Amino acid sequence: MARFAAAKMVLSENYTSCLNNSNKSPNAPLIPGITFQSTDCSSLMSATIDKTCSISLDMSNGAKTGWAESFDSCQSFNLIAQKYNNFDFVVQNAAINNECSDYVILEASNWDEAQQRSQSLGGNLVTINNKDEYSWLQNNVWAKNELLSLAGDNSQESTYYFTGLNDVAKEGEYVWASGETSDFNNNEDLIHRQNWLAQQHMANSKDYFVIGGTNDKGFTDYVQNDYRPDLYNGLSGHLTWVDNESSWLKNNGNPRHFGLAEIPSCK
């Protein structure tokens, strides 16, 4: 849609103008179907297109919110976000839909809290049912923190997401918090091979799994010529063992942690 592109262009031009002269107020032109809101070069400038799609650009640092690839995607993003933004533990606007699932990023300090909050939304921590879902999540949610970035969080900090995979009930029997089964022959296939081999001696104390949002390489990026091909055999996912608090990671760099909830959206 032309108005969606025009709104992006106006916000971008105003950001460039603010970089050149921070004392100059952003220009909000009159364009039919678009409502602009702005104050000065130290705050957000937003644009609402046809009352159903809102995007913004922080004039002080260039952080973007809602900058989907198309108007239709923007509408969908806004509708999904509105369903969950009233929950105070949901990262604002960090929600997205694919087929019959809404995926929502949650503030959570440990796995138990992340799972409880996922359940309060009507779902559970994410279940990765097959490689297609893994690839979609990788491209749209966790790799390079894509969903957080779309929601306006452009931090480059190391980030991890609690997932539903666990072996709390029975040691070594990996199941999903949702109770669903997956298409994987063995859920162990999702576990990072180096992590698997290096942490066998700690397995009894680590019952939960996270996935890294800034360094995930998924199933297919590792090949036999890569570093340590005996560990990275190209057949494994990238989930990492942690305890409930993710203590080891927090004591070694203290990366950010969030919960990734999956809520059924089809009746």
Side-chain angles (χ1 to χ4, degrees), residues 3 9 30 44 48 60 74 93 96 111 138 144 171 180 195 226 236 245 262:
R3 285 192 293 275
M9 183 175 68
L30 295 175
L44 289 176
T48 301
S60 67
C74 178
N93 299 313
I96 194 170
W111 191 93
Q138 183 182 23
K144 298 181 181 179
E171 184 62 35
E180 296 178 31
N195 179 263
D226 277 336
S236 303
E245 301 290 336
E262 180 178 1

Side-chain angles (χ1 to χ4, degrees), residues 115-246:
Q115 171 62 5
Q116 289 166 5
R117 289 179 169 180
S118 298
Q119 290 177 321
S120 72
L121 296 179
N124 291 277
L125 283 171
V126 64
T127 297
I128 304 173
N129 293 97
N130 49 54
K131 287 188 179 182
D132 287 341
E133 184 177 17
Y134 184 105
S135 296
W136 187 90
L137 289 166
Q138 183 182 23
N139 292 328
N140 294 278
V141 178
W142 58 60
K144 298 181 181 179
N145 293 326
E146 181 66 26
L147 183 53
L148 283 175
S149 179
L150 187 62
D153 181 342
N154 293 312
S155 172
Q156 297 301 309
E157 293 179 68
S158 182
T159 305
Y160 286 86
Y161 301 88
F162 291 108
T163 72
L165 191 64
N166 70 89
D167 66 342
V168 175
K170 184 177 180 181
E171 184 62 35
E173 186 174 302
Y174 301 101
V175 298
W176 298 100
S178 64
E180 296 178 31
T181 57
S182 71
D183 289 350
F184 298 102
N185 291 327
N186 189 327
N187 284 325
E188 291 176 9
D189 291 344
L190 284 158
I191 302 171
H192 190 298
R193 287 297 92 181
Q194 183 181 27
N195 179 263
W196 172 270
L197 294 175
Q199 294 192 3
Q200 281 296 303
H201 65 290
M202 297 185 289
N204 290 342
S205 63
K206 297 181 183 297
D207 295 323
Y208 309 94
F209 290 87
V210 295
I211 193 157
T214 49
N215 60 3
D216 172 64
K217 295 189 177 181
F219 281 91
T220 59
D221 293 79
Y222 291 121
V223 295
Q224 290 299 317
N225 293 328
D226 277 336
Y227 173 68
R228 300 294 295 278
D230 55 320
L231 302 181
Y232 301 119
N233 59 16
L235 301 176
S236 303
H238 211 71
L239 274 68
T240 300
W241 257 317
V242 294
D243 60 14
N244 183 55
E245 301 290 336
S246 192

